[in-house]
Amino acid sequence: MEVNRERLGARLAVALTFAAAMLSIITGVAGFGILGLDVPRIDGPLAAYVPAFVQQAAAFTGAFTGFLLLTSVFALRNGRRIGWYTAVLLLPLSAAQGLLQSSPLAYPLVVLSLLALFVVLANYRHFEKPTELTTTQQAALAAIALAQLYGTVGTYALRDEFGSVDTLVDAFYFTLVTASTVGYGDVTPASQAGKLFVVSVLLTGTASFAVALGALLTPAIEARFARALGRMTDTQLSLLEDHVLVLGYGDLTEPIIEELQERTEFLVVTPDPARAQELTERDIPVLTADPSDEEPLAKAGVADARAVVVATNDDAQDALAILTARQMNPDVTIVAAAAQRRNIPKLKRAGADTVISPAALGGHLLAASALGGEGAEDIADSVLHDRSVEP
């Protein structure tokens, strides 16, 4: 019940942030009169103290804030901490912009933004996943920022060489449309020095834009293909640490996954593509590979794993997986389930620290209960429902 409440609170945080984002966009657009809405003017409490141009600027920036909030919603849906930080930053801004606007939607925007902020703050623990930015992606973002800074400062310094560059905003605008290859043509260099500088802006700006788009979008596209094929990307695998590896998939794996989902990070390694696809559709991390091979176990981070669980219906394959995992990480805790009781010693010799025979354990409890033993059912219920002990 507690887990369900946490999930409900997280979903509510995402839903309210999405609603605030959409309302911020609609309010901003309505403030410009783009929708053609013939609505009465409703002044906010600060209207008498805020100049008209500030109210118009609040409408524009409010729409932009709404679009930024949509990116926060995407990150929140994936449980990213960066989404939580950006939502906490943007929701108060959205409320402030609502106060500065003169729109019938201003008051609902303020209330909804503050309500969403409260719910997001209350669900801090749910958004714990780190931001998956590789070194290449960070370098690409830095390159595009530096290229934009170079173009803006240079254009402003050479503003006399341009016909219509008077402010830093003009310089920033020119650099952005030039580097992005939009090129409206409203600002052009009027001298040889200006033209040479624009050439340098084109080379650095367009190159940084192209590299940044490739570095940022390629992992997302790869993740989509990997999801469709039931795989994890190399970036996702590289972020695994102190996790549990579940090698193979059998009848006992499903209850193991249910337990691990609520307690720790884990990864399932199975050679069955159909099973991997099914797990991926349920948002369960899975790697399609043979769990007894060294290469996939290395990718799965067996060296950094806190434990390995092996519980399929094939004791022979389980023994190979245990042997490989033990060789690659002599210190990891390995727990196995034996389909047949006589194979318990063999799995231990392969390297398992603990081997349990579910069939033997269940048979013992059933026999004890049939022979009049008391407490067998209580023991089973305690094992199944006691969640007080963390792994």
Side-chain angles (χ1 to χ4, degrees):
M1 182 64 69
E2 183 179 354
V3 174
N4 291 335
R5 287 178 180 176
E6 290 180 358
R7 291 179 179 176
L8 180 61
R11 291 174 182 174
L12 181 61
V14 175
L16 289 176
T17 305
F18 176 76
M22 296 304 298
L23 190 55
S24 182
I25 295 173
I26 294 173
T27 304
V29 172
F32 275 94
I34 297 177
L35 294 179
L37 298 177
D38 186 14
V39 295
R41 182 183 180 88
I42 301 178
D43 291 334
L46 302 178
Y49 308 98
V50 180
F53 77 92
V54 175
Q55 297 180 19
Q56 188 178 27
F60 167 74
T61 56
F64 185 67
T65 300
F67 285 110
L68 292 178
L69 273 173
L70 289 179
T71 62
S72 297
V73 171
F74 177 79
L76 289 173
R77 286 189 58 188
N78 290 277
R80 302 294 176 193
R81 179 57 56 84
I82 186 65
W84 186 89
Y85 283 123
T86 55
V88 169
L89 176 66
L90 293 174
L91 285 171
L93 180 61
S94 176
Q97 290 164 338
L99 287 175
L100 295 176
Q101 296 180 54
S102 298
S103 168
L105 299 174
Y107 291 119
L109 174 61
V110 174
V111 174
L112 186 58
S113 297
L114 294 178
L115 179 60
L117 175 63
F118 173 78
V119 177
V120 169
L121 288 172
N123 289 274
Y124 171 81
R125 292 184 178 181
H126 184 79
F127 308 105
E128 296 179 344
K129 294 182 180 179
T131 304
E132 298 179 356
L133 282 181
T134 63
T135 303
T136 302
Q137 291 173 325
Q138 295 174 8
L141 290 175
I144 197 173
L146 291 174
Q148 188 67 23
L149 178 64
Y150 163 73
T152 301
V153 174
T155 302
Y156 184 73
L158 297 173
R159 57 187 179 278
D160 293 338
E161 310 296 333
F162 295 82
S164 55
V165 175
D166 299 318
T167 65
L168 280 174
V169 175
D170 294 335
F172 178 81
Y173 164 78
F174 170 74
T175 304
L176 185 62
V177 297
T178 302
S180 61
T181 68
V182 174
Y184 291 119
D186 51 345
V187 180
T188 56
S191 66
Q192 296 297 322
K195 291 179 180 179
L196 291 175
F197 173 74
V198 171
V199 170
S200 69
V201 173
L202 278 170
L203 292 176
T204 58
T206 55
S208 62
F209 262 93
V211 172
L213 287 176
L216 295 174
L217 296 181
T218 299
I221 296 173
E222 289 179 349
R224 288 292 182 182
F225 278 108
R227 183 180 180 86
L229 297 174
R231 301 174 184 169
M232 292 185 67
T233 64
D234 291 339
T235 301
Q236 292 172 320
L237 292 172
S238 65
L239 294 173
L240 291 174
E241 186 177 359
D242 197 33
H243 56 293
V244 175
L245 279 181
V246 181
L247 303 185
Y249 191 97
D251 295 337
L252 290 174
T253 311
E254 190 61 34
I256 293 173
I257 290 175
E258 292 177 0
E259 291 287 332
L260 294 176
Q261 274 184 309
E262 302 175 7
R263 301 190 176 193
T264 188
E265 188 177 17
F266 68 97
L267 172 66
V268 179
V269 182
T270 175
D272 187 351
R275 183 67 69 182
Q277 175 64 27
E278 178 186 339
L279 294 174
T280 302
E281 291 174 355
R282 294 162 50 194
D283 291 328
I284 295 174
V286 59
L287 176 64
T288 308
D290 187 348
S292 62
D293 287 347
E294 293 186 1
E295 183 178 354
L297 287 189
K299 287 185 177 181
V302 66
D304 299 319
R306 65 187 298 184
V308 173
V309 179
V310 185
T312 69
N313 300 324
D314 191 334
D315 289 343
Q317 290 297 323
D318 288 352
L320 290 175
I322 293 170
L323 184 62
T324 305
R326 177 58 69 200
Q327 290 177 343
M328 298 184 68
N329 189 347
D331 300 324
V332 70
T333 299
I334 301 179
V335 182
Q340 298 182 17
R341 186 174 182 177
R342 65 174 181 271
N343 291 330
I344 293 178
K346 298 178 182 178
L347 295 179
K348 286 189 175 182
R349 286 197 297 270
D353 297 293
T354 303
V355 181
I356 299 173
S357 174
L361 181 60
H364 174 74
L365 292 175
L366 289 173
S369 180
L371 295 175
E374 297 181 359
E377 187 174 356
D378 294 336
I379 294 175
D381 289 339
S382 177
V383 172
L384 290 174
H385 300 294
D386 184 10
R387 305 293 181 86
S388 61
V389 179
E390 294 294 334

